Structure formats: C-alpha cells, structure tokens
Amino acid sequence: MSQQPHPQSPSDPSPARWYDDAAGPMVRPYTMTGGRTRPEPEFDLIALVVGDVDVTPELPVGPEQAALLRLCRANALSVAELAAETDLPVGVVRVLLGDLLDAEYIRVSRPVPPALLPDEHILQEVIDGLRAL
C-alpha cells in the first residue's frame, strides 16, 4: 500500500501520512457540511428517510449526499442506519440530510414523541379486552 506524504514542517524530519491509496484522502467532517454543525430541522436518530430522486450525474449533490440518496432510495432507513452504512458521523449525516430535505430530494418520517403515545395502562386494558374475546 503506497502512502502519500503530507507536507512536513521544518522542525519535524519524519514525514506525516494523511492519506493512502486504500483509504483515499481524508476529508474533515466540517468540510462536508460547509462548517455547519446543526441541521434545520433536527433529525431524530430513528427518523426514517426515503429518497425521492434517482442519483444522476446532473444532480447537484456531493458524493456523500449521493451515497445517502442511493441508500435510502431502495427502502426507508433511519438516520442512525444511514450514518452506519456511510461510515460518517451522525452530526454530519444530519446536516447533509437537512440539505437534501430542503432540496426536496428526500422525505422524512419523524417518530411520535413519547408524550403523545398512549398510556401504558390503556394499552394493557386493550390487550386484556382482546384476550377476553
């Protein structure tokens, strides 16, 4: 595996390695997001994302966004799954998804907030009623 040296400082005689042929160039997360750290709107980890467009060369998205679109085009995936599949930090995925949502390339199904879920006591009564049938 050949490695490309990073320009070294005059005080450091050993060459630093910042990328190699197998891994490719290292891109900092803030570069992918344009320095943004907070997406608008916020994405829950279990929010489901569905792609609405096919990835084509004419589509004005970066390589990371294209990868997200390819993954969620076939089926709905959660934000956490997209981060795991792309090997990107969750914060970066959230910002990139925010851009895709603004461009209307994806749809997002947000989970129901816990405060709006039915009470456990009511659910138990429904289960008991169904068992009595």
Side-chain angles (χ1 to χ4, degrees):
M1 169 185 341
S2 70
Q3 296 197 351
Q4 303 296 324
H6 181 277
Q8 59 189 5
S9 66
S11 62
D12 183 13
S14 64
R17 308 275 188 223
W18 67 285
Y19 70 91
D20 62 32
D21 291 337
M26 183 176 77
V27 178
R28 299 275 184 213
Y30 62 82
T31 305
M32 287 183 252
T33 63
R36 295 168 294 143
T37 58
R38 300 235 186 261
E40 280 299 322
E42 283 287 330
F43 292 94
D44 194 283
L45 285 176
I46 60 173
L48 295 177
V49 180
V50 177
D52 283 341
V53 296
D54 289 324
V55 178
T56 63
E58 297 82 35
L59 198 63
V61 296
E64 293 81 13
Q65 289 173 320
L68 291 169
L69 284 171
R70 278 189 210 93
L71 285 169
C72 66
R73 181 70 178 141
N75 54 6
L77 292 175
S78 70
V79 173
E81 290 173 311
L82 288 169
E85 289 291 325
T86 56
D87 199 27
L88 292 172
V90 174
V92 170
V93 170
R94 286 176 167 159
V95 171
L96 296 176
L97 289 175
D99 293 344
L100 293 173
L101 185 64
D102 287 345
E104 298 181 353
Y105 295 156
I106 61 170
R107 286 178 285 126
V108 179
S109 172
R110 290 177 172 71
V112 177
L116 298 179
L117 292 173
D119 184 27
E120 184 179 331
H121 177 70
I122 293 172
L123 292 175
Q124 188 60 49
E125 287 182 14
V126 170
I127 291 170
D128 292 343
L130 291 172
R131 285 184 181 150
L133 294 175

